[in-house]
C-alpha cells in the first residue's frame, strides 16, 4: 500500500460526479480518456485520497485492452477481455465516469447475460516488457487456439475437444442444426450423420453467445457449455 502524501488523508469512498454511485478501494471503474473518440479506460481503485482543499485523487492499477498491449489484439481475445497490468497511476477522481465489473474468466463464461459494464480478465500483463502471466493457456480445435468466449464452438462426442465450425468446414447456421458432432479424427465416413436437432442460445447485451449447443441425443438432453477446462495442448504467450 502506497503511503499517503503530506497534506492528504485517506478517505473510504468517493461519489461519482453527477451520480449516486459510490466508489471504494477495490472497485473497478471507467475513466475518461483525454481523447474522447476512444473508449473509457478501465482501472482498479487501490486507494482514495483527499487534500485540504477537498480535491480527491485515486491511485489506480490499469487494465489494458488487448490492442493497447505490445503484442496487440489476437484472434482469441474476446471483445470484453482485459489484462491486469503492473502499471499504477494517480488520477483525479473527477475523471471517473462510472463503475464496471471485471470478472474472472471462469465466472464470465457462466454469465447468463453480459452487460455493458461486464468485462473479464485471465492474464496479468507487464507493461514494460509485454510479458503475460500465465504465459501458457489451453488450446482447442484444429487451429490450436485458446478459447474465445465470443465464438460459438461445438464439442466432439468422441475426443471431447471443442471445434470452431469454420475449422470443420461448417457455417454457424449448420453448426446450430447439429444434433451431435464427431470430428473427422474420431469418425469414419459410415458413421458421419447429421440428424435434425434443436438449438438454444442466449445473447448478452453485446450480442455474445452465452451458451453453446443444446444437444438432444435420443432421450437424453445434454446442455453443454464452452469450458476452458478440457486441455489438449498449451500455447505459449
Amino acid at each position: 500500500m502506497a503511503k499517503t502524501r503530506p497534506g492528504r488523508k485517506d478517505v473510504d469512498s468517493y461519489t461519482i460526479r453527477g451520480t449516486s454511485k459510490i466508489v471504494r478501494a477495490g472497485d473497478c471503474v471507467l475513466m475518461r480518456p483525454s481523447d474522447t473518440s476512444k473508449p473509457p479506460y478501465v482501472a482498479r481503485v487501490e486507494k482514495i485520497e483527499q487534500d485540504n482543499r477537498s480535491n480527491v485523487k485515486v491511485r489506480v492499477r490499469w487494465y489494458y485492452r488487448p490492442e493497447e498491449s505490445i503484442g496487440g489484439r489476437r484472434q482469441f481475445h474476446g471483445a470484453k477481455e482485459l489484462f491486469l497490468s503492473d502499471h499504477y497511476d494517480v488520477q483525479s477522481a473527477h475523471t471517473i465516469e462510472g463503475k464496471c465489473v471485471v470478472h474472472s474468466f471462469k465466472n464470465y463464461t457462466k454469465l447468463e447475460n453480459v452487460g455493458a459494464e461486464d468485462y473479464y480478465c485471465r492474464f496479468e500483463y507487464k507493461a514494460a516488457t509485454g510479458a503475460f502471466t500465465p504465459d501458457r493457456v489451453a488450446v482447442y480445435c484444429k487451429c490450436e487456439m485458446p478459447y474465445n468466449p465470443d465464438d460459438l464452438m461445438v464439442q466432439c462426442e468422441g475426443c471431447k475437444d471443442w471445434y470452431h465450425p469454420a475449422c470443420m468446414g461448417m457455417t454457424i447456421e449448420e453448426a446450430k442444426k447439429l444434433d451431435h458432432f464427431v470430428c473427422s479424427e474420431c469418425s469414419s465416413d459410415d458413421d458421419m450423420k447429421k440428424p435434425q436437432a434443436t438449438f438454444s442460445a442466449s445473447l448478452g447485451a453485446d450480442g455474445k453467445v452465452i451458451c453453446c449447443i443444446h444437444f438432444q441425443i435420443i432421450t437424453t438432453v445434454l446442455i453443454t457449455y464452452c469450458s476452458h477446462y478440457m486441455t489438449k495442448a498449451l500455447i505459449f504467450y
Side-chain angles (χ1 to χ4, degrees):
M1 176 74 69
K3 293 183 179 179
T4 303
R5 289 178 292 176
R8 293 182 177 273
K9 64 177 182 179
D10 291 346
V11 293
D12 294 330
S13 63
Y14 168 77
T15 301
I16 300 175
R17 179 182 289 183
T19 76
S20 59
K21 295 180 180 179
I22 298 175
V23 174
R24 294 182 173 86
D27 288 344
C28 293
V29 294
L30 303 171
M31 305 193 74
R32 183 172 60 255
S34 56
D35 184 349
T36 56
S37 66
K38 293 183 177 181
Y41 296 128
V42 182
R44 189 173 72 192
V45 176
E46 302 291 312
K47 191 176 184 179
I48 307 173
E49 296 178 351
Q50 185 176 14
D51 64 18
N52 51 18
R53 296 182 179 181
S54 298
N55 295 316
V56 180
K57 298 280 189 179
V58 288
R59 176 175 168 81
V60 298
R61 185 176 181 183
W62 294 112
Y63 284 96
Y64 279 45
R65 288 183 170 83
E67 56 270 24
E68 297 168 339
S69 67
I70 292 176
R73 179 172 288 277
R74 300 177 65 180
Q75 181 181 343
F76 61 87
H77 291 143
K80 306 303 289 292
E81 184 158 9
L82 301 171
F83 309 142
L84 180 60
S85 79
D86 59 351
H87 180 186
Y88 292 84
D89 204 355
V90 176
Q91 295 286 320
S92 168
H94 294 327
T95 62
I96 298 177
E97 294 184 330
K99 297 178 67 174
C100 63
V101 181
V102 181
H103 302 271
S104 69
F105 184 65
K106 179 180 178 180
N107 288 343
Y108 182 83
T109 61
K110 293 180 179 180
L111 293 178
E112 293 184 1
N113 295 290
V114 177
E117 73 285 356
D118 290 310
Y119 296 87
Y120 70 90
C121 176
R122 55 178 158 179
F123 298 108
E124 290 194 13
Y125 174 71
K126 291 189 177 298
T129 64
F132 288 87
T133 304
D135 61 359
R136 63 195 72 185
V137 291
V139 298
Y140 306 89
C141 189
K142 293 169 61 177
C143 63
E144 296 190 344
M145 294 294 290
Y147 173 46
N148 181 341
D150 297 339
D151 294 340
L152 182 143
M153 299 184 80
V154 292
Q155 187 181 37
C156 173
E157 296 172 9
C159 63
K160 305 303 181 183
D161 199 0
W162 292 90
Y163 292 87
H164 301 108
C167 294
M168 303 307 294
M170 293 185 290
T171 65
I172 296 295
E173 290 69 26
E174 289 171 336
K176 291 178 179 180
K177 296 178 181 178
L178 289 175
D179 187 44
H180 67 224
F181 169 71
V182 180
C183 73
S184 56
E185 294 183 2
C186 294
S187 65
S188 66
D189 292 338
D190 292 336
D191 57 20
M192 287 291 289
K193 300 177 182 179
K194 295 182 179 179
Q196 186 177 2
T198 61
F199 170 83
S200 176
S202 59
L203 296 178
D206 60 346
K208 183 176 82 73
V209 177
I210 306 302
C211 61
C212 286
I213 295 178
H214 291 212
F215 296 87
Q216 185 175 358
I217 306 173
I218 309 177
T219 58
T220 303
V221 176
L222 302 177
I223 301 179
T224 311
Y225 293 90
C226 286
S227 170
H228 63 293
Y229 293 120
M230 298 293 290
T231 304
K232 182 184 72 172
L234 296 174
I235 185 170
F236 290 80
Y237 216 114

